[in-house]
Amino acid sequence: MNVILITACPSGVATTFLAARGLERAAAQRGWKTSVEMHGQLAPLVPVDAATLQAAQLVVVAASAPVDLARFAGKRVFQAPISEALPDPRAFLTRAEAEARPWSPTVPANNVPPMPAATAGSPRIVAVTACPTGVAHTFMAAEALLQAGRGLGYPLRVETQGSVGAQDALTAEEIRAADVVILACDIEVDPSRFVGKRVFRTSTGAALKKSTQTIREALDKATVLEGAQGERAAAPAGKSGQRGPYRHLLTGVSFMLPMVVAGGLIIALSFVFGIEAFKEKGTLAAALMDIGGGAAFKLMVPLLAGYIAYSIADRPGIAPGMVGGYLASTLGAGFLGGIAAGFVAGYGAQALSRYVKLPASMEALKPILIIPLVASLVTGLVMIYVIGTPVAALLSSVTTFLKTMNTGNALILGALLGAMMCFDLGGPINKAAYAFGVGLISENTYGPMAAIMAAGMVPPIGMGIASLLARSKFSEPERDAGKAALALGLCFISEGAIPFMAKDPLRVIPVSVLGGAITGAMSMFFGVQLMAPHGGLFVLLIPHAVNHVLIYLLSIVTGSLVIGVGYALVKTGKAELPGATKESSPVVGKSGAAVGSS
C-alpha cells in the first residue's frame, strides 16, 4: 500500500521527528511503501510531489499543529493528535487503515485548527503558554494542557508564544466564546484582549507537571480580569494573579536573550581570523567585532532594563527603562545596574500611571508625554546619583573575583551553579542560575555560562543512558522517553528529564544534582568559557564558541555517566510514566515519547 505520513507538533522539534520515525518503522513492518512529510524546524518542509500524491492510497496525519489538507481532497485520510501516535505507532496505523475516510476540505481558510466541539454543559477553555527562552516549556506545557483537556472532555485551544513568536494564535471569536482563560506564562504577556473574561494565571511548570489539576483549578479559581480593551489589564487578586519581581526579571531576560546569543556567536566568529585579528581596522574580523561587541552587547543591558520596565508598566515603561539601562552600561554598573534601572523605571512609570490624575482632555498625554518624560528623568537621576556608582563597584568586585578566583572557589561556584541547574529543571532555581550566567556574558565573563549550559544538559542525557543500561527496570514508554531525553539533552533542553523527575523525584533529583554539580565544577576548574548562552552541543560547531572543546565534552560525559549509572542502580522495578497504561504499552521496535517533549 502507498501511504503518506504527515507529522506536526506545536514546536516542530522532537515530537514531530520521533513520531515520523516511529510511524515509518511500523509501516515498513507492514510492508507499506511510505512517503514522510515532517512539518518541523529540524529540516525544511518538503511536500510530497504530485506523483506520490496521485499514487497514495492512504494519508495518515498525526498532528497537533495546523496542516493544510486541502490537497488530499478525495483521498482516504486519517487524522489524529500526534500524542496518540507516540505510545504505539503500529496500533495507530491499524486505526488509520480502519477508520480513514475520503477527505473533503472543511478546514478554515486561515488553517488554524478550530476549537473542538463542546459537549453539552462542558466549559470552553483557551490558554496561552510562554517561558523565558520560548523553546521547551512553552510547547511542552501546551501539549500537556491539550492532552489533559481531551482527557477531561473539555474543548481547549492553546496559543504558544515561543522563540519564533505567537503560534496558533487565538481568534477573537474563540476568546469571546471561552468560559475560562489560562495564562501559563513565566514571562509577562499582554492580557488586555482577555479583559472581562475569567482568567487564571499559573506557570508553565505547573501546567506541564499538573495539567489536569491546573485546568480544574482554573475552572474553580479563575477571576474576572478588569481593565479596558487595549490597555494593560489589572491582574486579578489572589493566587491566580500573582506576578511579582521574579516574573518581571524573566521577561527582561527573555527579550535580552536573542541579543546575547547573536552577539556572543558573532564575536566568536571574529576569532576565526585570530584572537586579536579584530584590532586591525578595516578587516572582516574588525567588522564582526563591531557588530557583536560594539552593537549587540551594548544593547543587551538597555533591552534587559527596558523590558523589565515593560513587564511592570506596559509600553510607557520601555523608554525610561532603556534610558536607565543605557546609563547602567555607561556607568559600569552592567547587568546588575540594568536590573535595578528596570525596576526603578517600571515601578516609577506604574506609579505615575495610577496616581497622577489629569483632566479628561489631557489624559491622553500621560502615556506618550508625561510618563516617559518624568519616569526617564527620575530613573536617570537615580542611576547617576544613587544606584550607578555602588552597583558598578559591586559588579567590578564580582567580575574580578570570578576572573581571579583560585581553584577551590572555582570548584565551589561551578558545583553550586551546576546543582542549581539540575534541581528543578526549568523552575525558579534553574532560571535564577541561568539568568546569572547570561548577565555575566554581558560583562565579558564566560566561564559561569559554560558550567551552566553543561550542567543543564546532563539530566536528560543521564536519564537516556539509565534507560539503556537498566532496560529491565524501565517500561517501554519510559525507554522511549529516554531516547527523546537523549536528543533533547544534546540540545540543552533540560526539560527532557521532567517525565522521570515527575514520576520518581526522590531518586532522580539527588542523582541529577550530583551529576550537574560534578559537571559544573569540572567546567569551572578547567577554565572553560562559552560565548553563547544556548545551543547545546551544536554550538561547538562554531569556531571559538568554546575554548576547550574536548575538556568541555569530558565534563558533560562525566556528569551524564554519573547520573545515568547512578539512576540505573537506585531505580527499582518498572514504573510507567504518568498517563501510560498496560493497554497502551508500546511494542518493541517503535519510537516515541511518553509526553509531548517538543
Side-chain angles (χ1 to χ4, degrees):
M1 183 187 299
N2 295 321
V3 180
I4 296 175
L5 302 174
I6 298 177
T7 60
C9 69
S11 68
V13 186
T15 305
T16 298
F17 176 80
L18 292 169
R21 295 287 81 87
L23 291 171
E24 191 175 21
R25 282 196 293 270
Q29 292 171 0
R30 290 170 166 261
W32 292 358
K33 182 180 178 181
T34 59
S35 298
V36 180
E37 185 177 297
M38 289 188 291
H39 293 243
Q41 299 179 15
L42 293 179
L45 173 63
V46 182
V48 294
D49 55 39
T52 301
L53 181 58
Q54 181 66 29
Q57 298 164 282
L58 175 65
V59 179
V60 180
V61 182
S64 297
V67 176
D68 183 8
L69 302 180
R71 57 197 159 130
F72 301 121
K75 293 290 183 181
R76 294 181 65 238
V77 174
F78 174 77
Q79 185 177 13
I82 196 169
S83 58
E84 296 180 12
L86 290 169
D88 192 344
R90 289 200 296 187
F92 187 82
L93 292 181
T94 300
R95 278 183 56 203
E97 187 177 20
E99 300 177 15
R101 297 290 182 271
W103 175 258
S104 59
T106 57
V107 180
N110 64 4
N111 203 33
V112 175
M115 183 181 289
T119 58
S122 61
R124 300 178 71 90
I125 305 170
V126 297
V128 177
T129 61
C131 71
T133 55
V135 178
H137 265 78
T138 298
F139 301 104
M140 293 172 71
E143 290 208 26
L145 287 173
L146 286 170
Q147 292 181 25
R150 282 192 292 269
L152 293 169
Y154 298 157
L156 194 148
R157 271 270 287 120
V158 183
E159 172 183 310
T160 56
Q161 296 199 6
S163 57
V164 294
Q167 293 180 306
D168 296 341
L170 299 172
T171 65
E173 292 75 15
E174 288 170 334
I175 296 172
R176 189 160 45 247
D179 298 301
V180 174
V181 179
I182 298 174
L183 298 181
C185 305
D186 298 324
I187 61 175
E188 191 59 27
V189 299
D190 183 7
S192 59
R193 53 187 166 150
F194 305 120
V195 167
K197 309 299 295 187
R198 295 181 64 232
V199 173
F200 179 78
R201 292 178 181 267
T202 186
S203 65
T204 55
L208 172 59
K209 299 171 186 176
K210 301 176 181 178
S211 49
T212 300
Q213 179 181 332
T214 295
I215 292 175
R216 287 173 175 159
E217 287 186 355
L219 293 171
D220 182 49
K221 300 179 180 179
T223 55
V224 175
L225 189 66
E226 299 176 354
Q229 290 289 344
E231 298 180 1
R232 174 63 65 94
K239 181 180 178 181
S240 66
Q242 287 180 354
R243 281 149 70 173
Y246 182 69
R247 177 171 289 181
H248 301 319
L249 173 61
L250 291 184
T251 300
V253 171
S254 72
F255 279 95
M256 179 182 74
L257 191 58
M259 196 69 70
V260 180
V261 174
L265 292 181
I266 291 172
I267 290 173
L269 287 175
S270 75
F271 295 154
V272 172
F273 303 96
I275 298 301
E276 297 187 354
F278 68 90
K279 294 182 178 179
E280 187 176 343
K281 299 298 182 182
T283 62
L284 179 57
L288 292 173
M289 182 59 72
D290 286 341
I291 296 170
F297 268 33
K298 285 186 178 178
L299 288 172
M300 284 192 292
V301 175
L303 274 175
L304 172 66
Y307 281 98
I308 289 175
Y310 165 78
S311 177
I312 298 169
D314 204 12
R315 279 181 290 182
I318 293 179
M322 287 193 170
V323 168
Y326 184 79
L327 286 171
S329 295
T330 58
L331 293 170
F335 79 99
L336 293 178
I339 292 172
F343 283 109
V344 170
Y347 286 117
Q350 185 184 68
L352 289 170
S353 177
R354 287 182 178 178
Y355 303 118
V356 174
K357 304 300 181 183
L358 296 175
S361 59
M362 299 181 62
E363 191 69 23
L365 292 177
K366 279 174 63 175
I368 62 173
L369 174 62
I370 296 172
I371 295 176
L373 172 62
V374 177
S376 296
L377 181 62
V378 171
T379 302
L381 292 174
V382 168
M383 290 302 300
I384 292 172
Y385 291 110
V386 180
I387 294 178
T389 301
V391 172
L394 174 62
L395 183 65
S396 176
S397 300
V398 171
T399 53
T400 301
F401 168 75
L402 291 173
K403 291 178 178 179
T404 61
M405 61 185 170
N406 58 34
T407 301
N409 288 333
L411 285 170
I412 292 171
L413 179 61
L416 176 62
L417 292 174
M420 291 174 69
M421 286 298 295
C422 299
F423 182 76
D424 54 359
L425 300 181
I429 297 175
N430 171 286
K431 287 187 173 72
Y434 184 73
F436 176 72
V438 171
L440 287 176
I441 287 181
S442 67
E443 304 305 316
N444 300 315
T445 302
Y446 305 106
M449 191 67 242
I452 286 165
M453 188 170 85
M457 294 168 64
V458 296
I461 296 175
M463 292 298 105
I465 292 173
S467 69
L468 296 174
L469 293 178
R471 290 179 59 85
S472 62
K473 294 184 177 181
F474 291 81
S475 65
E476 274 293 332
E478 287 176 324
R479 289 201 290 270
D480 291 328
K483 298 172 188 175
L486 273 171
L488 294 171
L490 296 176
C491 300
F492 182 38
I493 299 178
S494 306
E495 291 85 349
I498 284 179
F500 300 91
M501 180 176 287
K503 183 64 180 178
D504 192 12
L506 296 180
R507 294 184 181 88
V508 172
I509 292 176
V511 296
S512 295
V513 168
L514 176 61
I518 291 173
T519 295
M522 289 180 64
S523 177
M524 289 293 293
F525 175 78
F526 290 115
V528 180
Q529 296 188 345
L530 175 67
M531 303 291 293
H534 218 292
L537 288 186
F538 299 101
V539 82
L540 304 185
L541 300 176
I542 300 175
H544 300 291
V546 179
N547 59 342
H548 302 307
V549 174
L550 293 180
I551 292 176
Y552 197 51
L553 289 173
L554 176 63
S555 303
I556 295 170
V557 169
T558 300
S560 299
L561 287 175
V562 167
I563 294 174
V565 174
Y567 188 57
L569 291 175
V570 301
K571 181 174 169 60
T572 58
K574 288 187 178 181
E576 297 284 344
L577 286 172
T581 62
K582 290 184 179 179
E583 289 75 9
S584 64
S585 292
V587 294
V588 176
K590 69 137 191 92
S591 175
V595 297
S597 54
S598 52

